Amino acid sequence: MTNLPPPAEELRFLDAELRQLDVRRATLLRRRAWLVHTLQATAARQPALGPGTAPVGPPAGTGAAARRPEATAPGVQNVLLVLGGVLLTIAAIAFTPVSWGHLGIAGRALVLGALTVGALGAPVALLRCGLRSTAEAVAALGTALTVLDAYALHEVAFPGTDGVGYTATASAVLAALWAVYGVRLGLRHPLPLAVATAHLPLLLGAIAVGAGPYTLTAVSLATAAGGTAVALHAALLPVRIVAVTGALGTGAAGVLSAGWLCWSASGPGPAARAAALLLVAAALALMAGRFVPRPEVSVGAAFAAGLCVVAGAGGVLRVTVPGEWTVPGCLACAIALLAAKRTRLHHPLRQGLVRASAAVQGFAVLWTLPLVAGCVLGPAVRGARPWSGTPRDFPDAVFAGLPRPPYAGTAPLVLTVVAAVLVVAGHRTARRPAVTVAAPVLGWAAALVLPVVLQLPYAAGLVAHAVVVAAALFFAVRFGRADKRPSPPSLTALLPALVTSVGLALVSLASEPATIAVLGTLTVLFAAAGLRPGPAPFAAPAALCHATALACAIGASAGRPPHHTALLVLVVPAVAALIAWRTGGSRTGGSRATVPVEVAGAAAGLLALALAAPEPPMLALVLSLCGAVAAATALRPERRAAGWAAAALFLLATWVRLAAWDVAAPEAYTLPVTGPALIVGLLRRRRDAAVSSWTAYGSGLAVTLVPSLLAAWDDQHWLRPLALGVAALAVTLAGARHRLQAPLVLGPGVLALVALHELTPYLAQVVGALPRWAPPAVAGLVLLVLGATYEQRLRDARRLREALGRLG
């Protein structure tokens, strides 16, 4: 017992054992079922077995004794009875309209009366004989004949009567007759049929008398109330199912009609009448939820009741207050529903009302979403037209050319109220972590849209958003953890600060002084926040990004061309390298910000290269400076790999400088560098044999081979390609002699390109002489050969890679 397995291993072992037990249990159950069936079949064939006799059956797996009947006797009986009743009903329906006119008055009455009395009376005798299923089938035929009797009575005795009114009366009479008939005889189908038919009289009667929409809505709710009462007190399950279905259908129709009447009313009076109907529906839902035994149904009923109350109040507010106050009014009603938590209502009812309040608050927040999204995304349009002039006010700067959402004046109030409710109501709940995230986000959204709603001047709006950024960063620093990881509240404050800062920077592009002031302020704010270890991984890169934008803005403001601005942008990678050097090996909390800071610095360096690209001399200088920054970064022990980037940047700077000078013989500049570089590499490999050939000879060889290759590619004479080919061949042979990887890659690569350059004219002549179908045919043949030997080629490639890996 001392060598217990780990919990995960023991859990897997237990799961495997349980699966084996389930398989074994299923096998035993199948064997038991076969044995039971075998015993029953044997007992049917041999009813007089002795006490010691055991039935003998075929072994498991034989199919003769394991066969079972595919249909049971009761099932066959029900199919026959239902089919017979349906056929008789169809025959009666066909007889009534088709053959009715061939009989006189007495004949008609005699036929229908005899059929109906016989069909309704036969179940009495059948029940006495114990034939309940047959009695149900015959009684179903009788109920169908009563409908035909009602139709025939209207055609003969009341032909001029309104069809809708007569149908309402007939449905009421038939529902009563079927209910009495089912109760007296104890049959199952008449009662559900009576309950279903009882939903029609009130609605059809209201339609017959020409009732208005309010009356029809009230009738629908009254019918739903009756169905609810039947569903709560009925003992039979089919009756309850029919009653619940009818109550839900008529109730939903009444609620939707009342809601439409309330929200489309043109005055307070009609809206109040429709709101009263919604309150009645809410009361019915609460009453039903109080007596329903299932808690989840009670919660749903209370939820619907809460929505009805808010919808009624909102419809009245829509016609009594200005349009922008409708949603705040609905929000106030939703908050009032939270008082149900302090009442003595049934717990599921209180839970449903609270959920309804939460749903309405969510809808209110969604109502503010267009304004919030416009404040976040609208400034992006301003980026296409920088420094186009100071806008009239802050909303004009935010919604530059975009439509403004209507009725948005109360959006900050809605967001603030919902955030306050979340803080108060969610303080002692299990969802407190979610509340601590949602409430600050809503508060930030309210602060973001407030300058737009108040229509502040342009400068005041910029200051307001800058204050929002500063406040968010303050809370991020205030709620940061001591273990240098951003806590959820700190992260929740950091993300709004980043989003607001981007929008603020884009809005400030409307004016040149505003752009420089805002970018400078944002750089200072995020840099100050980046001094703390918690928000540093987010704040420090953001400060560098804003500093990069500030450098571009300063260069543009000074009227300098982009390639001159690139030098100013290079300050950011240098500062990023310095920050990474100060925090990279520190144990005080800056290590988590090192990689984000380096990424931001690298992005600024790429931007500087893009700005300097049109001017080769400046591009060479920028490449050199970037190489210096990378070399300084490579001094750190954990960033030795940056030396490769530094070497590549220096080489690129050299090549670009040679190209900018229009040097026809680059070897005069590159060979003096290659010689000492190769000597230094040789001496280093003698002191340390573990040094890679790429480190020792790669940069020295590339600094001459690559510029010479570029020059030879445009050279029309034979001397340079010949000399370069000889040099590449010598490098290749030296690499093969000493088994060095760098010469074996650079030398053959340059030699192959030189050979391709020399063969290009002849290849062009050959291609011109060939027919047009030849190149596709050759390409197809090559593809077939490559496809046929693909596996062998992969094996050869792996062997070559392993061979190169074993080189120095």
Side-chain angles (χ1 to χ4, degrees):
M1 296 301 292
T2 58
N3 297 324
L4 293 176
E9 184 66 26
E10 185 176 0
L11 180 61
R12 286 194 295 269
F13 175 75
L14 292 177
D15 291 338
E17 291 293 331
L18 290 174
R19 284 194 295 271
Q20 293 178 1
L21 289 176
D22 291 338
V23 172
R24 180 61 178 166
R25 185 174 184 274
T27 303
L28 294 176
L29 287 175
R30 288 195 298 269
R31 180 63 179 173
R32 181 183 180 278
W34 180 85
L35 292 174
V36 170
H37 175 67
T38 302
L39 289 174
Q40 292 176 352
T42 305
R45 293 194 303 268
Q46 302 175 3
L49 289 176
T53 305
V56 179
T62 60
R67 295 194 184 101
R68 295 184 181 181
E70 296 182 355
T72 61
V76 174
Q77 165 192 301
N78 292 334
V79 169
L80 295 176
L81 291 175
V82 171
L83 181 59
V86 170
L87 291 177
L88 288 174
T89 303
I90 294 174
I93 293 173
F95 168 79
T96 301
V98 175
S99 301
W100 185 258
H102 300 288
L103 300 177
I105 299 297
R108 300 172 185 176
L110 181 61
V111 170
L112 272 183
L115 289 176
T116 305
V117 172
L120 294 177
V124 178
L126 293 174
L127 289 174
R128 290 176 182 175
C129 297
L131 303 176
R132 174 169 291 276
S133 298
T134 306
E136 290 282 353
V138 176
L141 175 61
T143 54
L145 288 175
T146 56
V147 178
L148 295 177
D149 290 338
Y151 167 73
L153 185 61
H154 177 267
E155 293 296 324
V156 175
F158 308 103
T161 307
D162 178 43
V164 178
Y166 180 81
T167 303
T169 305
S171 60
V173 173
L174 290 176
L177 290 177
W178 291 341
V180 173
Y181 181 71
V183 172
R184 292 295 299 271
L185 296 183
L187 298 174
R188 287 190 290 269
H189 85 277
L191 286 180
L193 188 60
V195 172
T197 308
H199 288 81
L200 300 177
L202 286 179
L203 185 59
L204 293 177
I207 296 175
V209 299
Y214 291 93
T215 305
L216 290 176
T217 303
V219 168
S220 297
L221 295 177
T223 305
T228 303
V230 173
L232 292 175
H233 294 88
L236 297 178
L237 180 60
V239 176
R240 290 202 301 270
I241 293 176
V242 172
V244 168
T245 304
L248 289 177
T250 55
V255 169
L256 293 177
S257 176
W260 181 79
L261 291 173
C262 187
W263 282 83
S264 62
S266 58
R273 291 197 297 271
L277 294 175
L278 287 172
L279 292 178
V280 171
L284 292 176
L286 288 176
M287 187 175 299
R290 174 62 182 86
F291 296 102
V292 171
R294 300 181 62 177
E296 59 273 14
V297 178
S298 298
V299 172
F303 179 80
L307 293 182
C308 288
V309 171
V310 176
V316 174
L317 290 173
R318 188 188 66 86
V319 295
T320 56
V321 298
E324 60 186 7
W325 288 97
T326 302
V327 174
C330 294
L331 180 61
C333 297
I335 295 174
L337 290 178
L338 294 176
K341 296 178 65 175
R342 303 290 183 181
T343 62
R344 296 184 179 181
L345 286 174
H346 197 44
H347 177 69
L349 297 181
R350 287 180 292 173
Q351 189 176 5
L353 292 175
V354 171
R355 291 185 180 180
S357 175
V360 175
Q361 294 179 53
F363 289 143
V365 172
L366 290 178
W367 174 74
T368 65
L369 190 59
L371 180 61
V372 177
C375 292
V376 173
L377 303 177
V381 181
R382 180 67 63 180
R385 295 174 296 164
W387 297 351
S388 58
T390 304
R392 293 176 302 176
D393 51 15
F394 193 67
D396 184 60
V398 173
F399 293 93
L402 297 178
R404 303 182 188 180
Y407 304 121
T410 55
L413 176 63
V414 170
L415 293 169
T416 304
V417 170
V418 175
V421 171
L422 284 177
V423 172
V424 174
H427 183 67
R428 298 181 179 179
T429 62
R431 297 183 177 88
R432 185 177 179 182
V435 170
T436 58
V437 173
V441 170
L442 293 176
W444 161 77
L448 183 68
V449 302
L450 185 60
V452 176
V453 171
L454 296 179
Q455 296 183 354
L456 295 179
Y458 178 65
L462 293 177
V463 173
H465 275 196
V467 171
V468 172
V469 175
L473 291 176
F474 172 77
F475 282 108
V477 173
R478 175 66 178 81
F479 293 103
R481 289 177 176 174
D483 58 355
K484 307 176 184 64
R485 293 184 179 182
S487 61
S490 176
L491 189 60
T492 304
L494 277 172
L495 295 180
L498 293 173
V499 174
T500 309
S501 67
V502 173
L504 178 59
L506 292 174
V507 171
S508 67
L509 291 177
S511 173
E512 179 180 346
T515 302
I516 297 176
V518 167
L519 290 176
T521 303
L522 293 177
T523 301
V524 173
L525 290 176
F526 280 97
L531 297 177
R532 300 298 296 269
F538 298 90
L544 293 175
C545 292
H546 290 302
T548 303
L550 177 61
C552 295
I554 292 175
S557 177
R560 308 306 302 173
H563 59 275
H564 288 172
T565 305
L567 296 176
L568 189 59
V569 174
L570 282 179
V571 177
V572 177
V575 173
L578 179 62
I579 295 174
W581 175 70
R582 293 291 302 272
T583 61
S586 176
R587 297 182 180 179
T588 60
S591 58
R592 293 184 180 276
T594 302
V595 174
V597 165
E598 290 175 342
V599 171
L606 292 177
L607 177 61
L609 292 176
L611 292 174
E615 294 292 330
M618 186 61 67
L619 178 61
L621 177 60
V622 172
L623 285 170
S624 301
L625 295 176
C626 289
V629 174
T633 303
L635 295 177
R636 294 160 46 198
E638 70 276 10
R639 291 291 184 268
R640 295 301 188 194
W644 294 96
L649 289 171
F650 284 133
L651 284 177
L652 288 175
T654 302
W655 298 339
V656 171
R657 173 56 64 182
L658 294 176
W661 284 343
D662 294 329
V663 175
E667 294 81 6
Y669 300 92
T670 58
L671 286 176
V673 178
T674 297
L678 294 179
I679 294 173
V680 171
L682 178 62
L683 295 177
R684 184 176 180 184
R685 277 186 60 83
R686 286 183 177 180
R687 290 195 304 267
D688 186 4
V691 176
S692 172
S693 62
W694 287 102
T695 304
Y697 308 119
S699 59
L701 292 174
V703 74
T704 294
L705 291 178
V706 175
S708 298
L709 178 63
L710 296 176
W713 198 262
D714 292 333
D715 197 344
Q716 303 298 326
H717 303 282
W718 58 271
L719 182 59
R720 185 190 299 275
L722 178 61
L724 181 59
V726 171
L729 179 61
V731 170
T732 302
L733 294 177
R737 172 67 178 80
H738 299 284
R739 303 180 64 183
L740 300 176
Q741 189 180 54
L744 281 177
V745 172
L746 294 176
V750 173
L751 185 59
L753 291 176
V754 171
L756 179 62
H757 173 265
E758 294 302 311
L759 292 176
T760 298
Y762 303 100
L763 292 176
Q765 293 177 3
V766 172
V767 171
L770 290 175
R772 294 187 177 182
W773 57 265
V778 173
L781 182 61
V782 170
L783 290 177
L784 288 177
V785 173
L786 289 177
T789 59
Y790 186 70
E791 184 177 2
Q792 182 64 34
R793 295 295 180 268
L794 288 178
R795 188 181 297 111
D796 295 341
R798 284 195 294 269
R799 291 176 180 175
L800 178 61
R801 184 181 60 188
E802 294 173 358
L804 290 176
R806 290 192 296 269
L807 299 178

